[in-house]
Amino acid sequence: MSPAPRVLCVDYSLGFGGAIKSLSLTLGALRGHDVQVVTSQDAEIVRTWLAGRRVRSLRRVMNYRSLGRLRAAIEARVGTGALRWVAFKALAAADLAVTAKNAARLAWLLRRERIDLLHLNNGFTPPEALLASRVTGVPCVVHARDFHADRSRAMRWAMRPVARVIAVSGAVAEALDGLLARDRITIVHDPVDAERIEAAASRRDAVRAEWGIAPGAVAVGIVGRVIPWKGQMEFARAALAAMADEPSLHAVVVGDESDGARGYLDAIRALVATSPFAHRFTFAGYRAEVEACYAALDVVVHASITPEPFGMVVPEAMAAGRAVIAADAGGPREVVADGIDGVLVPPGDVPVLAAAMLRLARDADLRARLGDAARAKARERFRPEASAAAVVAVYASVLAGRVAAAPVAEVSHA
């Protein structure tokens, strides 16, 4: 019997989100592989979502948030000329030093653990794992969860070790045109945890009471990081417009400030505070148990004003049996069938979004019909077992190519 293929998953996600959740669900359904994980997540998230797995920490001092803040500080506080040039060069040098250090550590780990396959969970950057793959010759699979825009010569060079890409949507796959051949890209939608979502249904009344939602009110909510492109401002404007015509409507924003968007949330709060409907609007803040939020809502809105790569909120809300309104772009367009298991609206169109809210608030039968169809689709199409099977097929394809191309001694664990 041949040994189980050894896979090293590298996850650079900051905080809890769809990337680590998807990885956890997929690995939970993965069979026949010896998987280790390197992650930048904190201990609590590791205990909750990666329990029982061999996990190593690999933190980047210069992650994308710290880099962004430092760049913004330099732009705001350092004038033009030599000093500004030196500051940016120092920042780039520090990032390069971190990249080199982590690339060396990953290369050492790949060799020591005799890893057969490297799986990057967060796209192509930072490039250190790609460098480690290139140095060691271990083939690499990249999980593309965002629209990749870097087409520089350096990035094309770094991407050479990539054997296959797993794209979370067709939209993400299309964004790779010109960088990778289509036969190297497999579309695998992220899975949802239907059991966890179903278990949270019992918390509906408690969460609604906490949020001050009156009995009989129709709760419409948006769930996710509060940043401008996610469209919370458009959601708030649409909800306030709909409230003017429907007294049963109650709006909820679930999520907090992130990535320096503090002023954005303040602007939304100010808009609501100056309206006559502030008492029917709840800012719930960050909620670790997002499944209970779906249970408390009657309508879940996805309002991103630019295309979303996938938008895990959409299939999760569908799995909860909620009526979903989603922006007609990117990943959600591939998930929602308009008028059958949800409603699609043009991104950023506040009047159309308000009309959709109003229609669903006034029609309980329509909410129930859309929610039932959504639940059936999500729990069949987004099962972790289906995602794991697709990932295993990608692994097998890459490993088969490596065995065919390399001497037996190079792929043996003996």
Side-chain angles (χ1 to χ4, degrees):
M1 182 180 296
S2 60
R6 297 181 179 182
V7 180
L8 182 67
C9 291
V10 178
D11 173 74
Y12 279 116
S13 51
L14 299 175
F16 178 67
I20 194 69
K21 185 184 292 187
S22 171
L23 177 64
S24 172
L25 294 174
T26 300
L27 293 184
L30 202 65
R31 301 291 180 267
H33 291 72
D34 181 1
V35 180
Q36 300 181 45
V37 179
V38 170
T39 182
S40 59
Q41 291 287 355
D42 61 33
E44 180 60 31
I45 291 175
V46 169
R47 282 193 297 270
T48 303
W49 291 94
L50 296 171
R53 304 202 172 276
R54 284 183 289 172
V55 180
R56 291 178 172 84
S57 175
L58 184 65
R59 293 189 180 275
R60 291 192 104 250
V61 176
M62 305 294 287
N63 58 56
Y64 76 88
R65 287 183 184 166
S66 60
L67 281 169
R69 288 169 184 150
L70 286 170
R71 286 195 186 100
I74 292 171
E75 290 172 355
R77 300 176 185 178
V78 180
T80 59
L83 184 59
R84 186 183 182 93
W85 181 87
V86 169
F88 276 119
K89 288 297 182 182
L91 184 61
D95 187 40
L96 182 60
V98 173
T99 297
K101 176 185 176 183
N102 284 350
R105 183 181 174 190
L106 286 170
W108 170 80
L109 187 61
L110 290 171
R111 285 175 170 151
R112 194 192 76 168
E113 297 296 324
R114 293 178 292 176
I115 297 297
D116 297 301
L117 185 68
L118 180 63
H119 184 164
L120 309 188
N121 193 46
N122 310 98
F124 301 92
T125 55
E128 57 208 35
L130 293 176
L131 294 174
S133 172
R134 192 177 182 88
V135 167
T136 60
V138 175
C140 179
V141 170
V142 172
H143 218 124
R145 302 182 181 278
D146 205 347
F147 301 114
H148 186 73
D150 187 350
R151 294 172 180 266
S152 66
R153 185 175 299 175
M155 177 53 67
R156 288 176 184 272
W157 180 87
M159 287 172 62
R160 287 182 184 175
V162 177
R164 292 288 292 274
V165 170
I166 298 172
V168 294
S169 67
V172 168
E174 288 177 7
L176 293 169
D177 281 349
L179 286 172
L180 290 167
R182 273 304 182 96
D183 61 1
R184 293 171 63 190
I185 304 172
T186 300
I187 298 169
V188 182
H189 288 148
D190 284 341
V192 299
D193 192 345
E195 292 183 4
R196 194 182 187 97
I197 290 169
E198 186 173 346
S202 62
R203 297 202 54 208
R204 175 178 170 85
D205 291 343
V207 175
R208 287 172 71 92
E210 177 189 344
W211 288 349
I213 300 172
V218 178
V220 56
I222 187 168
V223 180
R225 293 180 297 152
V226 182
I227 49 179
W229 74 270
K230 287 284 189 179
Q232 282 90 357
M233 179 64 80
E234 285 72 18
F235 167 84
R237 288 173 175 158
L240 294 173
M243 285 175 181
D245 292 322
E246 180 50 59
S248 71
L249 203 62
H250 189 111
V252 183
V253 173
V254 180
D256 62 2
E257 308 140 336
S258 65
D259 300 331
R262 198 167 295 171
Y264 180 62
L265 181 57
D266 290 342
I268 299 170
R269 288 183 180 275
L271 173 70
V272 172
T274 57
S275 79
F277 308 114
H279 62 291
R280 289 160 52 195
F281 214 108
T282 299
F283 290 91
Y286 171 75
R287 310 287 295 211
E289 192 183 356
V290 70
E291 296 82 7
C293 300
Y294 300 136
L297 298 170
D298 300 294
V299 179
V300 176
V301 174
H302 166 275
S304 295
I305 60 177
T306 59
E308 181 100 34
F310 179 62
M312 185 173 275
V313 165
V314 174
E316 284 185 337
M318 292 171 70
R322 295 295 165 258
V324 172
I325 303 172
D328 188 11
R333 176 186 287 169
E334 302 170 30
V335 174
V336 174
D338 187 35
I340 297 174
D341 48 42
V343 176
L344 293 174
V345 298
D349 194 324
V350 171
V352 174
L353 178 56
M357 290 181 183
L358 200 56
R359 180 184 173 205
L360 289 173
R362 290 174 170 174
D363 194 336
D365 291 339
L366 177 59
R367 294 199 305 273
R369 177 173 65 79
L370 293 176
D372 289 344
R375 180 188 288 111
K377 174 190 272 189
R379 297 193 177 197
E380 174 58 31
R381 185 169 164 185
F382 303 108
R383 293 178 297 112
E385 295 78 11
S387 176
V391 169
V392 165
V394 171
Y395 287 176
S397 173
V398 172
L399 292 172
R402 188 186 190 196
V403 169
V408 173
E410 292 189 23
V411 297
S412 171
H413 294 308

